[in-house]
Amino acid sequence: MSDSGNQSCLMGAEDTVSFLVCVFHTWEDWAGLGQLEDYLSVLEYLLWVFTPLAVVFILPFLIVILLYLSILFLHVYKRKNQLREAYCNNLWDGARKTLATLWDGHGAIWHGYEIHGMEKIPDKGPALIVYYHGAIPIDYYYFLANVIIQKGRPCHSVADHFLFKVPGFKLLLEVFSVIHGPQEECVRALRSGHLLGISPGGVREALFSDETYPLLWGKRKGFAQVAIDSQVPVIPMFTQNLREGFRSLGTLRFFRWLYERFRLPIAPVYGGFPVKFRTFLGDPIPYDPNVNAAELAEKVQQAVQSLIDQHQQIPGNILRALLERFHTKHKDH
């Protein structure tokens, strides 16, 4: 209705009802509701056309998820006898083996996870495992799962203080023997005959390392002093394509400044790509009473760097790491 039509309508209204109807039509024209109805009609038509197409693509995706859940269940079921025995012996042993089986299944399905050199982890007795820290250390979770399953023993771990402040994590950390890292507590765990895993780079390496895989250990040598005080061997560890699975935006200046200023590890992490993961365990570095902490730290860093140089193409490439899922035989680089 035009403006002149609206004015004549208002002036010619003979009663209240006619006047209100006329006001409504005037407001409808002013607000463009007539056009809105056209837009809604078009939107309804598009939904009618594309909904069947969306369903066609979503349903197969849901079936794939169901298949993966079925495979995950089978990974758990094939170890039902071990799980039953674990639950009979100790409640938390059963819980650990159940979660280890789930994580092992996830690693096998999503990353085709492999471990090379598992025989270097002792069946009994202590050892210090020193590893490169990814943006998310999911490879270390897979490693812990395999130690529990294959060696029948847990591996204690050292984690950053902030992890103990995350709501709901307390029980998980207790059950899997995670400590926040005082040297005395680490020595106590090793002298008690346990395995202990530690990443000298820690959160800094997780946030600020990149696809070129630099080791950001600085001058840290506390882990080496722990090994000397405990008189245990050190086993270096590195996982191929770890930075292609998950990457961090910590290399951006803002997040670097935020961490250095406030110690807030909040750099965004992206990824979750199903790239090939292979964990390599180097030769154990035996205890030597003639080597001090600084020398041992340097030796361990060189051992981890050697694993990176031998098994990781630099810089890492996500597409290449994805294609490696199709290769069953490992080739050293």
Side-chain angles (χ1 to χ4, degrees):
M1 188 180 294
S2 63
D3 291 342
S4 59
N6 289 335
Q7 291 176 1
S8 61
C9 174
L10 293 172
M11 294 177 61
E14 299 178 354
D15 53 29
T16 304
V17 175
S18 300
F19 178 78
L20 291 176
V21 170
C22 207
V23 169
F24 174 77
H25 283 302
T26 303
W27 178 78
E28 185 180 35
D29 287 343
W30 177 79
L33 292 181
Q35 294 179 352
L36 181 60
E37 290 179 0
D38 293 337
Y39 294 147
L40 291 176
S41 298
V42 173
L43 181 60
E44 184 180 3
Y45 174 76
L46 292 176
L47 287 174
W48 179 79
V49 171
F50 288 106
T51 296
L53 294 175
V55 171
V56 166
F57 284 101
I58 290 174
L59 286 180
F61 182 71
L62 293 177
I63 292 174
V64 171
I65 292 177
L66 182 60
L67 288 172
Y68 275 118
L69 289 175
S70 300
I71 296 169
L72 194 57
F73 168 77
L74 292 176
H75 272 278
V76 177
Y77 187 79
K78 74 179 181 181
R79 294 194 175 93
K80 60 183 175 61
N81 291 331
Q82 297 178 29
L83 295 176
R84 186 185 298 114
E85 181 181 352
Y87 277 105
C88 290
N89 294 333
N90 181 281
L91 176 64
W92 295 124
D93 284 345
R96 275 190 290 266
K97 283 201 171 182
T98 301
L99 287 176
T101 302
L102 289 170
W103 277 103
D104 179 56
H106 182 275
I109 295 168
W110 196 246
H111 292 290
Y113 182 70
E114 302 173 5
I115 293 185
H116 297 262
M118 193 63 172
E119 70 279 359
K120 297 171 184 177
I121 301 295
D123 295 329
K124 295 181 180 179
L128 182 65
I129 296 100
V130 177
Y131 62 95
Y132 171 82
H133 201 304
I136 293 179
I138 194 169
D139 64 312
Y140 184 66
Y141 307 156
Y142 298 151
F143 167 75
L144 292 179
N146 276 269
V147 170
I148 292 172
I149 293 169
Q150 296 185 36
K151 298 294 182 177
R153 59 185 304 197
C155 176
H156 292 220
S157 305
V158 178
D160 194 88
H161 288 78
F162 88 90
L163 200 60
F164 292 82
K165 300 177 182 178
V166 178
F169 267 50
K170 182 179 179 180
L171 180 60
L172 180 66
L173 298 175
E174 287 180 355
V175 170
F176 282 89
S177 303
V178 181
I179 58 180
H180 61 80
Q183 290 190 22
E184 298 78 11
E185 196 169 350
C186 293
V187 171
R188 190 180 307 115
L190 289 167
R191 286 180 176 174
S192 299
H194 297 295
L195 299 172
L196 180 67
I198 185 171
S199 173
V203 173
R204 182 179 297 276
E205 193 166 85
L207 296 179
F208 307 129
S209 186
D210 56 26
E211 63 273 16
T212 62
Y213 292 84
L215 295 175
L216 305 182
W217 294 10
K219 296 182 179 180
R220 293 183 178 179
K221 56 184 180 180
F223 70 95
Q225 190 62 55
V226 165
I228 292 172
D229 293 343
S230 306
Q231 300 182 11
V232 300
V234 180
I235 303 174
M237 186 175 90
F238 170 73
T239 298
Q240 182 187 70
N241 297 325
L242 185 57
R243 285 280 163 179
E244 283 57 72
F246 292 91
R247 289 186 175 178
S248 168
L249 296 179
T251 52
L252 299 178
R253 285 186 178 182
F254 172 75
F255 298 111
R256 184 81 182 230
W257 172 83
L258 204 60
Y259 179 77
E260 299 293 354
R261 182 69 176 82
F262 302 104
R263 286 296 184 267
L264 294 176
I266 58 174
V269 173
Y270 67 96
F273 305 114
V275 300
K276 181 69 177 181
F277 279 173
R278 295 186 183 95
T279 291
F280 295 92
L281 293 161
D283 293 329
I285 300 172
Y287 166 70
D288 184 347
N290 299 316
V291 173
N292 61 36
E295 294 169 337
L296 180 58
E298 178 65 24
K299 186 179 292 188
V300 174
Q301 184 167 352
Q302 290 176 359
V304 176
Q305 185 63 55
S306 177
L307 291 175
I308 296 174
D309 295 340
Q310 184 180 359
H311 301 294
Q312 183 64 54
Q313 290 191 28
I314 304 295
N317 182 279
I318 294 175
L319 179 59
R320 182 177 62 236
L322 286 168
L323 293 176
E324 287 181 13
R325 289 295 304 274
F326 298 97
H327 297 279
T328 57
K329 186 176 180 181
H330 167 63
K331 296 180 180 180
D332 290 341
H333 299 297

